[in-house]
Protein backbone atom coordinates (compact mmCIF):
# COMPACT_ATOMS: atom_id res chain seq x y z
CA UNK A 1 0.00 0.00 0.00
CA UNK A 2 1.39 3.41 -0.94
CA UNK A 3 2.57 5.89 1.65
CA UNK A 4 0.97 9.26 1.03
CA UNK A 5 1.54 12.85 2.12
CA UNK A 6 -2.18 13.33 1.58
CA UNK A 7 -4.14 12.15 4.61
CA UNK A 8 -7.50 13.18 3.24
CA UNK A 9 -7.97 12.97 -0.52
CA UNK A 10 -11.17 15.01 -0.38
CA UNK A 11 -9.01 18.01 0.50
CA UNK A 12 -8.09 18.00 -3.20
CA UNK A 13 -10.64 15.94 -5.18
CA UNK A 14 -14.22 14.81 -4.71
CA UNK A 15 -17.34 13.89 -6.64
CA UNK A 16 -20.76 15.44 -6.04
CA UNK A 17 -24.23 14.18 -7.01
CA UNK A 18 -27.35 16.37 -7.21
CA UNK A 19 -30.79 16.71 -8.73
CA UNK A 20 -31.35 19.81 -10.85
CA UNK A 21 -33.86 22.48 -9.88
CA UNK A 22 -33.72 24.64 -13.01
CA UNK A 23 -32.74 27.83 -11.18
CA UNK A 24 -29.77 27.98 -8.78
CA UNK A 25 -28.28 25.87 -6.00
CA UNK A 26 -25.10 25.86 -3.96
CA UNK A 27 -23.41 22.46 -3.86
CA UNK A 28 -21.25 22.07 -0.77
CA UNK A 29 -19.67 19.36 1.36
CA UNK A 30 -16.86 18.54 -1.06
CA UNK A 31 -14.16 19.20 1.52
CA UNK A 32 -12.19 21.71 -0.55
CA UNK A 33 -12.43 24.93 -2.49
CA UNK A 34 -13.36 24.11 -6.08
CA UNK A 35 -11.04 25.50 -8.74
CA UNK A 36 -12.11 23.19 -11.57
CA UNK A 37 -15.31 21.18 -11.97
CA UNK A 38 -16.46 18.84 -14.75
CA UNK A 39 -20.24 18.29 -14.85
CA UNK A 40 -22.41 15.80 -16.73
CA UNK A 41 -26.12 14.93 -16.70
CA UNK A 42 -26.54 11.30 -15.68
CA UNK A 43 -30.12 10.87 -16.85
CA UNK A 44 -30.22 12.21 -20.40
CA UNK A 45 -28.12 12.99 -23.41
CA UNK A 46 -26.51 16.35 -22.61
CA UNK A 47 -23.06 17.77 -23.29
CA UNK A 48 -20.22 17.62 -20.77
CA UNK A 49 -19.42 20.96 -19.14
CA UNK A 50 -16.07 22.05 -17.71
CA UNK A 51 -15.45 25.21 -15.70
CA UNK A 52 -12.42 26.60 -13.88
CA UNK A 53 -11.75 29.76 -11.93
CA UNK A 54 -8.75 30.80 -14.02
CA UNK A 55 -11.05 31.41 -16.99
CA UNK A 56 -13.85 32.58 -14.66
CA UNK A 57 -17.41 31.71 -13.70
CA UNK A 58 -19.89 30.95 -16.48
CA UNK A 59 -17.02 30.31 -18.93
CA UNK A 60 -17.76 26.83 -20.30
CA UNK A 61 -15.73 24.47 -22.44
CA UNK A 62 -17.16 21.17 -23.65
CA UNK A 63 -15.00 18.01 -23.35
CA UNK A 64 -17.08 16.08 -25.91
CA UNK A 65 -16.80 18.77 -28.60
CA UNK A 66 -14.13 20.93 -30.24
CA UNK A 67 -16.08 24.21 -29.91
CA UNK A 68 -14.63 27.40 -28.45
CA UNK A 69 -15.46 28.62 -24.96
CA UNK A 70 -18.92 30.09 -24.45
CA UNK A 71 -20.64 31.93 -21.62
CA UNK A 72 -23.65 30.28 -19.94
CA UNK A 73 -25.08 30.26 -16.38
CA UNK A 74 -23.67 26.80 -15.67
CA UNK A 75 -21.30 27.40 -12.75
CA UNK A 76 -22.03 30.83 -11.31
CA UNK A 77 -19.69 30.77 -8.30
CA UNK A 78 -16.67 28.87 -6.97
CA UNK A 79 -16.88 28.44 -3.20
CA UNK A 80 -14.63 27.44 -0.30
CA UNK A 81 -16.41 24.06 0.00
CA UNK A 82 -17.88 23.50 -3.46
CA UNK A 83 -19.55 25.52 -6.21
CA UNK A 84 -22.89 27.01 -7.29
CA UNK A 85 -24.78 25.97 -10.41
CA UNK A 86 -27.20 28.28 -12.21
CA UNK A 87 -30.06 27.86 -14.64
CA UNK A 88 -28.13 26.14 -17.46
CA UNK A 89 -29.92 22.90 -18.39
CA UNK A 90 -26.64 21.00 -18.85
CA UNK A 91 -25.64 21.55 -15.22
CA UNK A 92 -28.89 22.08 -13.30
CA UNK A 93 -31.87 21.19 -15.49
CA UNK A 94 -35.04 20.49 -13.57
CA UNK A 95 -35.79 16.79 -12.87
CA UNK A 96 -32.36 15.69 -14.08
CA UNK A 97 -29.60 14.01 -12.05
CA UNK A 98 -26.01 15.25 -12.30
CA UNK A 99 -22.48 14.38 -11.28
CA UNK A 100 -19.66 16.87 -10.82
CA UNK A 101 -15.97 16.01 -10.42
CA UNK A 102 -14.17 18.74 -8.50
CA UNK A 103 -10.45 19.50 -8.11
CA UNK A 104 -8.62 22.02 -5.96
CA UNK A 105 -5.70 24.08 -7.27
CA UNK A 106 -5.60 27.37 -5.40
CA UNK A 107 -2.29 29.30 -5.49
CA UNK A 108 -2.62 31.87 -8.26
CA UNK A 109 -0.25 33.99 -10.29
CA UNK A 110 0.54 35.37 -13.72
CA UNK A 111 3.51 36.17 -15.90
CA UNK A 112 5.00 36.05 -19.38
CA UNK A 113 5.76 32.88 -21.30
CA UNK A 114 9.32 32.02 -22.28
CA UNK A 115 11.28 30.13 -24.94
CA UNK A 116 11.31 30.87 -28.66
CA UNK A 117 9.33 33.71 -30.15
CA UNK A 118 7.49 36.55 -28.48
CA UNK A 119 6.62 36.16 -24.79
CA UNK A 120 2.89 36.11 -24.13
CA UNK A 121 0.70 36.51 -21.08
CA UNK A 122 -0.27 33.55 -18.94
CA UNK A 123 -2.06 33.03 -15.62
CA UNK A 124 -2.38 30.00 -13.41
CA UNK A 125 -3.75 28.28 -10.32
CA UNK A 126 -1.69 25.45 -8.80
CA UNK A 127 -1.58 22.98 -5.93
CA UNK A 128 1.82 21.31 -5.71
CA UNK A 129 0.74 18.93 -2.91
CA UNK A 130 -1.93 17.38 -5.12
CA UNK A 131 0.04 17.77 -8.36
CA UNK A 132 -2.52 19.84 -10.26
CA UNK A 133 -2.30 23.14 -12.13
CA UNK A 134 -4.57 25.13 -14.41
CA UNK A 135 -2.70 27.33 -16.89
CA UNK A 136 -4.29 29.83 -19.28
CA UNK A 137 -1.87 31.09 -21.92
CA UNK A 138 -1.66 32.88 -25.26
CA UNK A 139 0.05 31.13 -28.17
CA UNK A 140 2.86 32.79 -30.12
CA UNK A 141 3.01 30.70 -33.30
CA UNK A 142 6.66 29.72 -32.79
CA UNK A 143 8.01 26.23 -32.19
CA UNK A 144 9.86 26.10 -28.85
CA UNK A 145 7.39 28.37 -27.05
CA UNK A 146 7.49 27.36 -23.35
CA UNK A 147 4.68 27.60 -20.80
CA UNK A 148 5.43 27.49 -17.04
CA UNK A 149 3.21 24.98 -15.20
CA UNK A 150 4.39 25.67 -11.60
CA UNK A 151 4.10 22.06 -10.39
CA UNK A 152 7.76 21.75 -9.42
CA UNK A 153 7.92 18.32 -11.12
CA UNK A 154 7.26 17.25 -14.69
CA UNK A 155 3.55 16.57 -15.24
CA UNK A 156 2.60 13.06 -16.31
CA UNK A 157 -0.62 14.13 -18.02
CA UNK A 158 -1.51 17.37 -19.81
CA UNK A 159 -4.86 18.23 -21.40
CA UNK A 160 -5.02 21.34 -23.63
CA UNK A 161 -7.93 23.15 -25.31
CA UNK A 162 -7.95 26.15 -27.63
CA UNK A 163 -10.70 28.22 -25.99
CA UNK A 164 -10.78 30.85 -28.72
CA UNK A 165 -11.55 28.59 -31.72
CA UNK A 166 -12.87 25.20 -32.79
CA UNK A 167 -9.88 22.92 -32.24
CA UNK A 168 -9.81 19.46 -30.70
CA UNK A 169 -8.77 18.81 -27.12
CA UNK A 170 -5.30 17.23 -27.11
CA UNK A 171 -4.01 14.96 -24.35
CA UNK A 172 -0.51 13.87 -23.36
CA UNK A 173 -0.97 10.78 -21.18
CA UNK A 174 1.47 8.62 -19.27
CA UNK A 175 1.34 5.13 -20.72
CA UNK A 176 1.15 6.26 -24.35
CA UNK A 177 3.85 7.82 -26.54
CA UNK A 178 1.87 10.29 -28.57
CA UNK A 179 -1.37 12.19 -28.21
CA UNK A 180 -5.08 11.49 -27.88
CA UNK A 181 -8.12 13.62 -28.58
CA UNK A 182 -10.48 13.98 -25.62
CA UNK A 183 -13.46 14.92 -27.78
CA UNK A 184 -13.49 11.83 -30.01
CA UNK A 185 -12.95 8.07 -30.03
CA UNK A 186 -9.91 8.05 -32.35
CA UNK A 187 -6.95 5.80 -31.69
CA UNK A 188 -3.85 7.52 -30.40
CA UNK A 189 -1.42 9.24 -32.76
CA UNK A 190 2.20 8.25 -32.20
CA UNK A 191 4.34 11.36 -31.73
CA UNK A 192 6.65 11.52 -28.74
CA UNK A 193 8.07 14.98 -29.45
CA UNK A 194 5.02 17.25 -29.68
CA UNK A 195 4.95 18.31 -26.00
CA UNK A 196 8.15 17.78 -24.01
CA UNK A 197 7.75 18.56 -20.30
CA UNK A 198 10.14 19.09 -17.44
CA UNK A 199 9.95 20.29 -13.84
CA UNK A 200 9.20 23.88 -14.82
CA UNK A 201 7.53 24.09 -18.22
CA UNK A 202 5.63 22.67 -21.17
CA UNK A 203 7.42 23.07 -24.50
CA UNK A 204 5.18 23.65 -27.53
CA UNK A 205 7.33 21.96 -30.14
CA UNK A 206 5.58 23.43 -33.18
CA UNK A 207 2.89 25.85 -34.36
CA UNK A 208 0.00 23.38 -34.28
CA UNK A 209 -3.29 25.25 -34.02
CA UNK A 210 -4.51 22.97 -31.23
CA UNK A 211 -1.93 24.48 -28.85
CA UNK A 212 0.17 27.32 -30.32
CA UNK A 213 -1.51 29.60 -32.85
CA UNK A 214 -0.27 33.17 -32.55
CA UNK A 215 -2.55 35.21 -30.25
CA UNK A 216 -5.01 32.35 -29.70
CA UNK A 217 -5.91 31.61 -26.08
CA UNK A 218 -5.53 28.15 -24.51
CA UNK A 219 -6.19 26.36 -21.25
CA UNK A 220 -3.91 23.56 -20.02
CA UNK A 221 -4.77 21.16 -17.19
CA UNK A 222 -1.57 19.61 -15.84
CA UNK A 223 -1.38 16.58 -13.53
CA UNK A 224 1.64 15.11 -11.72
CA UNK A 225 1.43 11.76 -9.93
CA UNK A 226 1.33 11.83 -6.14
CA UNK A 227 1.88 8.58 -4.26
CA UNK A 228 -1.23 7.33 -2.53
CA UNK A 229 -3.49 9.89 -4.25
CA UNK A 230 -3.08 9.78 -8.04
CA UNK A 231 -1.75 7.20 -10.46
CA UNK A 232 -1.51 7.38 -14.26
CA UNK A 233 -0.33 4.74 -16.68
CA UNK A 234 -1.29 2.08 -19.18
CA UNK A 235 -2.32 -1.56 -19.42
CA UNK A 236 -2.90 -4.32 -21.94
CA UNK A 237 -6.23 -6.13 -21.56
CA UNK A 238 -6.65 -9.88 -22.03
CA UNK A 239 -10.21 -9.97 -23.38
CA UNK A 240 -11.57 -12.11 -20.52
CA UNK A 241 -15.23 -11.58 -19.70
CA UNK A 242 -14.64 -11.66 -15.92
CA UNK A 243 -11.00 -12.25 -15.02
CA UNK A 244 -9.48 -9.37 -16.99
CA UNK A 245 -6.43 -7.38 -15.89
CA UNK A 246 -5.67 -5.90 -12.46
CA UNK A 247 -3.94 -2.51 -12.30
CA UNK A 248 -2.05 -1.45 -9.20
CA UNK A 249 -2.47 2.12 -7.96
CA UNK A 250 -1.48 1.83 -4.29
CA UNK A 251 -4.85 3.21 -3.18
CA UNK A 252 -8.57 2.63 -3.59
CA UNK A 253 -9.73 4.63 -6.63
CA UNK A 254 -12.54 7.13 -6.29
CA UNK A 255 -12.29 8.33 -9.92
CA UNK A 256 -11.10 6.37 -12.94
CA UNK A 257 -10.70 7.57 -16.54
CA UNK A 258 -9.82 5.07 -19.31
CA UNK A 259 -9.10 5.27 -23.05
CA UNK A 260 -8.18 2.66 -25.65
CA UNK A 261 -5.06 3.74 -27.54
CA UNK A 262 -4.34 1.15 -30.25
CA UNK A 263 -7.71 1.51 -31.97
CA UNK A 264 -10.94 3.48 -31.76
CA UNK A 265 -12.78 3.41 -28.46
CA UNK A 266 -14.74 5.76 -26.25
CA UNK A 267 -13.22 7.44 -23.24
CA UNK A 268 -14.81 5.99 -20.08
CA UNK A 269 -15.18 7.68 -16.68
CA UNK A 270 -16.28 5.96 -13.47
CA UNK A 271 -16.40 7.04 -9.83
CA UNK A 272 -17.29 5.65 -6.42
CA UNK A 273 -20.28 7.92 -5.81
CA UNK A 274 -22.59 6.84 -8.62
CA UNK A 275 -22.24 3.15 -7.78
CA UNK A 276 -20.41 3.06 -4.48
CA UNK A 277 -19.86 -0.68 -4.52
CA UNK A 278 -18.29 -3.34 -6.71
CA UNK A 279 -18.69 -3.85 -9.44
CA UNK A 280 -18.40 -0.08 -9.84
CA UNK A 281 -20.14 -0.08 -13.19
CA UNK A 282 -21.89 3.27 -13.61
CA UNK A 283 -20.03 4.93 -16.47
CA UNK A 284 -20.14 8.00 -18.67
CA UNK A 285 -18.26 8.71 -21.89
CA UNK A 286 -16.25 11.98 -21.90
CA UNK A 287 -16.29 12.15 -25.72
CA UNK A 288 -20.06 11.69 -26.25
CA UNK A 289 -23.26 13.00 -24.70
CA UNK A 290 -24.90 9.69 -23.74
CA UNK A 291 -26.70 9.28 -20.45
CA UNK A 292 -25.12 7.12 -17.77
CA UNK A 293 -24.64 3.43 -18.56
CA UNK A 294 -24.37 0.52 -16.13
CA UNK A 295 -22.79 -2.32 -18.07
CA UNK A 296 -19.02 -1.74 -17.91
CA UNK A 297 -17.76 -3.75 -14.95
CA UNK A 298 -14.78 -2.58 -12.92
CA UNK A 299 -13.92 -3.43 -9.30
CA UNK A 300 -12.47 -0.61 -7.18
CA UNK A 301 -10.11 -2.42 -4.79
CA UNK A 302 -8.03 -1.23 -1.83
CA UNK A 303 -4.85 -1.08 -3.94
CA UNK A 304 -6.06 -0.69 -7.53
CA UNK A 305 -8.77 -1.64 -9.98
CA UNK A 306 -9.74 -4.88 -11.71
CA UNK A 307 -11.34 -4.93 -15.17
CA UNK A 308 -14.25 -7.39 -15.02
CA UNK A 309 -15.50 -7.16 -18.57
CA UNK A 310 -14.22 -7.25 -22.16
CA UNK A 311 -15.87 -4.53 -24.27
CA UNK A 312 -13.42 -2.77 -26.56
CA UNK A 313 -13.68 0.46 -24.58
CA UNK A 314 -12.10 -1.08 -21.46
CA UNK A 315 -10.97 -4.68 -21.91
CA UNK A 316 -10.51 -5.92 -25.49
CA UNK A 317 -8.09 -8.76 -26.09
CA UNK A 318 -4.51 -7.45 -26.54
CA UNK A 319 -5.83 -3.89 -26.70
CA UNK A 320 -3.83 -1.16 -24.96
CA UNK A 321 -5.26 1.55 -22.70
CA UNK A 322 -4.26 4.54 -20.62
CA UNK A 323 -5.77 5.32 -17.24
CA UNK A 324 -6.00 8.19 -14.77
CA UNK A 325 -6.93 7.26 -11.20
CA UNK A 326 -7.50 9.39 -8.12
CA UNK A 327 -8.22 8.03 -4.66
CA UNK A 328 -7.07 7.48 -1.11
CA UNK A 329 -4.26 5.39 0.33
CA UNK A 330 -4.77 3.52 3.59
CA UNK A 331 -1.47 4.88 4.92
CA UNK A 332 -0.87 8.59 5.27
CA UNK A 333 1.94 10.79 6.55
CA UNK A 334 4.10 9.34 9.36
CA UNK A 335 2.55 5.94 8.53
CA UNK A 336 -0.69 7.00 10.21
CA UNK A 337 -3.70 5.17 8.70
CA UNK A 338 -5.86 7.51 6.64
CA UNK A 339 -9.41 8.04 7.84
CA UNK A 340 -10.91 9.32 4.60
CA UNK A 341 -12.65 6.28 3.13
Amino acid sequence: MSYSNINKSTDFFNSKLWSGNGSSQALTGLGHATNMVWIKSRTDSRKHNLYDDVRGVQKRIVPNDNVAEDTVPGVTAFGTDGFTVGSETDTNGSSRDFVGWSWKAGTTGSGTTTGSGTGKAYSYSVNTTAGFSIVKYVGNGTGGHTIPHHLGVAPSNVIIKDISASNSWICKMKGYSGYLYLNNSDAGTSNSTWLPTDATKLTLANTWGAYNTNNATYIAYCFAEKSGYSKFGGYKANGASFDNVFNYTGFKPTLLILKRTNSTGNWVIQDNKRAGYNQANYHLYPNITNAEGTNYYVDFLSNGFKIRDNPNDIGGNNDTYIFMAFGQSLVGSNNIPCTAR
Side-chain angles (χ1 to χ4, degrees):
M1 197 65 58
S2 290
Y3 164 89
S4 179
N5 288 321
I6 295 174
N7 287 331
K8 194 174 182 181
S9 62
T10 53
D11 286 346
F12 305 102
F13 169 80
N14 209 345
S15 302
K16 182 72 175 179
L17 307 180
W18 69 96
S19 294
N21 65 14
S23 57
S24 178
Q25 57 178 315
L27 302 166
T28 58
L30 280 87
H32 61 263
T34 295
N35 300 106
M36 182 181 83
V37 61
W38 179 342
I39 299 171
K40 177 66 177 75
S41 170
R42 303 170 59 194
T43 46
D44 62 347
S45 181
R46 307 292 308 183
K47 65 184 66 173
H48 292 255
N49 291 244
L50 198 152
Y51 296 84
D52 65 71
D53 65 355
V54 175
R55 292 179 299 113
V57 295
Q58 304 192 57
K59 299 297 185 181
R60 174 178 66 179
I61 44 179
V62 180
N64 61 273
D65 207 333
N66 68 353
V67 294
E69 176 186 85
D70 63 358
T71 303
V72 296
V75 171
T76 57
F78 293 99
T80 58
D81 188 31
F83 54 95
T84 299
V85 288
S87 59
E88 168 59 38
T89 302
D90 288 335
T91 60
N92 194 32
S94 180
S95 302
R96 293 175 169 88
D97 292 331
F98 296 88
V99 59
W101 303 291
S102 171
W103 284 264
K104 178 181 180 179
T107 300
T108 60
S110 61
T112 302
T113 62
T114 55
S116 301
T118 303
K120 299 289 185 174
Y122 80 96
S123 56
Y124 66 92
S125 180
V126 64
N127 191 297
T128 56
T129 301
F132 174 54
S133 69
I134 305 165
V135 184
K136 179 182 176 181
Y137 68 91
V138 177
N140 73 1
T142 304
H145 187 198
T146 57
I147 314 300
H149 55 67
H150 294 274
L151 289 171
V153 296
S156 299
N157 292 357
V158 181
I159 302 171
I160 299 175
K161 177 69 180 82
D162 180 353
I163 64 174
S164 54
S166 293
N167 271 311
S168 286
W169 296 70
I170 50 171
C171 307
K172 176 185 177 72
M173 297 290 182
K174 183 178 179 180
Y176 181 71
S177 178
Y179 56 86
L180 296 156
Y181 296 109
L182 181 62
N183 55 285
N184 66 40
S185 62
D186 290 0
T189 299
S190 180
N191 184 333
S192 61
T193 63
W194 70 280
L195 187 66
T197 64
D198 61 28
T200 62
K201 63 188 180 297
L202 316 175
T203 299
L204 312 182
N206 54 52
T207 61
W208 191 14
Y211 75 164
N212 195 24
T213 292
N214 189 39
N215 292 328
T217 304
Y218 299 86
I219 196 78
Y221 303 112
C222 307
F223 298 88
E225 281 187 335
K226 295 296 176 178
S227 180
Y229 166 73
S230 60
K231 182 70 174 177
F232 316 131
Y235 66 89
K236 178 181 282 189
N238 63 26
S241 60
F242 184 74
D243 190 19
N244 214 306
V245 295
F246 167 78
N247 294 280
Y248 177 80
T249 61
F251 55 84
K252 185 173 185 177
T254 57
L255 178 73
L256 180 65
I257 301 172
L258 306 174
K259 175 66 176 78
R260 191 185 190 192
T261 59
N262 65 307
S263 187
T264 57
N266 290 314
W267 292 78
V268 175
I269 189 165
Q270 297 182 305
D271 61 69
N272 68 332
K273 293 289 180 68
R274 291 176 295 134
Y277 53 86
N278 287 332
Q279 296 161 344
N281 59 351
Y282 289 13
H283 64 275
L284 289 159
Y285 303 104
N287 58 293
I288 55 178
T289 62
N290 290 29
E292 184 176 80
T294 61
N295 61 340
Y296 280 8
Y297 304 125
V298 178
D299 281 350
F300 285 1
L301 306 175
S302 63
N303 61 348
F305 62 95
K306 173 82 169 179
I307 305 297
R308 293 291 191 186
D309 203 358
N310 61 356
N312 289 335
D313 288 340
I314 65 170
N317 188 35
N318 289 322
D319 286 333
T320 54
Y321 300 83
I322 57 91
F323 70 86
M324 295 181 66
F326 298 87
Q328 180 67 63
S329 174
L330 296 177
V331 182
S333 60
N334 300 316
N335 288 322
I336 298 172
C338 297
T339 58
R341 303 302 303 148

